[in-house]
Amino acid sequence: MFRVAEDSQLLAACHWQEGRRKDVPLLAIVHGLEGSCDSNYVLGIAEKAYQCGFHVVRLNQRNCGDSEKLTPTLYNSGMSADYRAVFKELADGDGFTQIFFADTRWAELGHQDGWEYGDAAPRALRGVCAICPAMDLASCADALNKRENYFYQRHFVKGLMARYARKAALFPKIYSRDGFGKIRSVREFDDAITAPCFGYRDAQEYYETASARSVVGNVRVQC
């Protein structure tokens, strides 16, 4: 597990090459919305990387992979500082010298939490790869509302609501079980739950703040 805040940890699965040498390249993989470190695409990337000689760390985002009890917070797409904390532990704490990230968010350089590497990336950060990042969260939410994406959106909403119910059961003093009506879309979920939990006015303000398009021009590390 990686401690990313005083009250929060991320659950991870680590696969070390023999000897756990510090100069061997390490790939940290982060899944997408409603996934986990056991998602098929994460497992596939991990297997290929390990066979190529990488150490591999499969990370769960907050609350994912049955880790709701490890943090009192929910998750939102702007919490890039979690992965900065993971990187610092791997580099400064464990001493790994060649660290790569493959994910849907971290490559955007964490503007949400007030830090940017830009041209001053740490030496141990050797590359980042963004996999289908949400460049414009509002457009993504609107696209999910299209008729042809009905079942796709329903899958996400069902998962989000189930996860929220588990969270409310674990932290009843923080999260209400009702009071926000019927939620049928990702935007409605973000309007009723994500935005107020993180101090945003509404889903639109959250989307405008957390979308990758506002920071993609700062990316200087490539793989």
Side-chain angles (χ1 to χ4, degrees), residues 13 16 50 71 81 84 87-88 95 164 170 172 205 209:
W16 309 116
Y50 190 82
T71 175
R84 184 193 189 197
F87 168 75
K88 286 181 66 65
Y164 180 79
L170 285 168
E205 183 180 52
T209 303

Coordinates of all heavy atoms in Angstrom, one line a residue, residues 13 16 50 71 81 84 87-88 95 164 170 172 205 209:
A13 N -0.7 -3.9 -6.3 CA -0.1 -5.2 -6.4 C 1.2 -5.0 -7.1 O 1.3 -4.4 -8.2 CB -1.0 -6.1 -7.3
W16 N 8.0 -7.8 -8.6 CA 9.4 -7.4 -8.6 C 10.2 -8.4 -9.4 O 10.0 -9.7 -9.3 CB 10.0 -7.3 -7.2 CG 9.2 -6.4 -6.3 CD1 8.5 -6.8 -5.2 CD2 8.9 -5.0 -6.4 NE1 7.9 -5.7 -4.6 CE2 8.1 -4.6 -5.3 CE3 9.3 -4.1 -7.4 CZ2 7.7 -3.3 -5.1 CZ3 8.9 -2.8 -7.2 CH2 8.1 -2.4 -6.1
Y50 N 6.3 -7.0 -17.5 CA 7.1 -7.9 -16.7 C 8.0 -8.8 -17.5 O 9.2 -9.0 -17.2 CB 6.3 -8.7 -15.7 CG 7.0 -9.4 -14.7 CD1 7.5 -8.8 -13.5 CD2 7.4 -10.8 -14.9 CE1 8.2 -9.5 -12.6 CE2 8.1 -11.5 -13.9 CZ 8.5 -10.8 -12.8 OH 9.2 -11.5 -11.8
T71 N -9.6 5.0 2.8 CA -9.7 6.5 2.7 C -11.1 6.9 3.0 O -12.0 6.3 2.6 CB -9.3 7.0 1.3 OG1 -9.5 8.4 1.2 CG2 -10.1 6.3 0.2
A81 N -2.2 14.3 -7.4 CA -1.2 14.3 -6.3 C -1.1 12.9 -5.7 O 0.0 12.6 -5.1 CB -1.6 15.3 -5.2
R84 N 1.7 11.4 -7.6 CA 3.0 12.1 -7.2 C 3.5 11.5 -5.9 O 4.7 11.2 -5.8 CB 2.8 13.6 -7.0 CG 4.1 14.3 -6.8 CD 3.9 15.7 -6.3 NE 5.1 16.5 -6.2 CZ 5.3 17.6 -5.6 NH1 4.3 18.1 -4.9 NH2 6.4 18.2 -5.6
F87 N 5.0 8.1 -6.7 CA 6.3 8.3 -7.4 C 7.4 8.6 -6.3 O 8.5 8.1 -6.4 CB 6.2 9.4 -8.4 CG 7.5 9.8 -8.9 CD1 8.3 9.1 -9.8 CD2 8.1 11.0 -8.5 CE1 9.5 9.4 -10.2 CE2 9.4 11.4 -8.9 CZ 10.1 10.6 -9.8
K88 N 7.1 9.6 -5.4 CA 8.1 10.0 -4.5 C 8.5 8.8 -3.6 O 9.6 8.7 -3.2 CB 7.5 11.1 -3.6 CG 7.5 12.5 -4.4 CD 7.0 13.6 -3.5 CE 7.9 13.9 -2.3 NZ 9.2 14.4 -2.8
G95 N 14.2 4.1 -3.7 CA 15.4 4.2 -4.5 C 15.4 3.7 -5.9 O 16.5 3.6 -6.5
Y164 N -20.6 4.2 -4.0 CA -21.0 5.2 -3.1 C -21.8 4.6 -1.9 O -21.6 5.0 -0.8 CB -21.9 6.3 -3.8 CG -22.3 7.4 -2.9 CD1 -21.4 8.4 -2.5 CD2 -23.6 7.3 -2.3 CE1 -21.8 9.4 -1.6 CE2 -24.0 8.3 -1.4 CZ -23.1 9.3 -1.1 OH -23.5 10.3 -0.2
L170 N -19.6 2.7 5.2 CA -18.4 2.7 6.0 C -18.2 4.0 6.8 O -17.7 4.1 7.9 CB -17.2 2.5 5.1 CG -16.9 1.1 4.6 CD1 -15.9 1.1 3.4 CD2 -16.4 0.2 5.7
P172 N -20.8 6.7 7.6 CA -22.2 7.3 7.6 C -22.2 8.7 8.1 O -23.2 9.4 7.8 CB -22.9 6.3 8.5 CG -21.9 5.7 9.4 CD -20.7 5.6 8.5
E205 N -18.3 22.9 -13.2 CA -17.1 23.5 -12.6 C -16.0 22.5 -12.4 O -14.8 22.7 -12.6 CB -17.4 24.3 -11.3 CG -16.2 25.0 -10.8 CD -16.4 25.7 -9.5 OE1 -17.0 25.1 -8.5 OE2 -16.1 26.9 -9.4
T209 N -12.4 22.3 -14.2 CA -11.1 22.3 -13.4 C -10.3 21.1 -13.6 O -9.0 21.2 -13.7 CB -11.5 22.5 -11.9 OG1 -12.3 23.6 -11.7 CG2 -10.3 22.5 -11.1

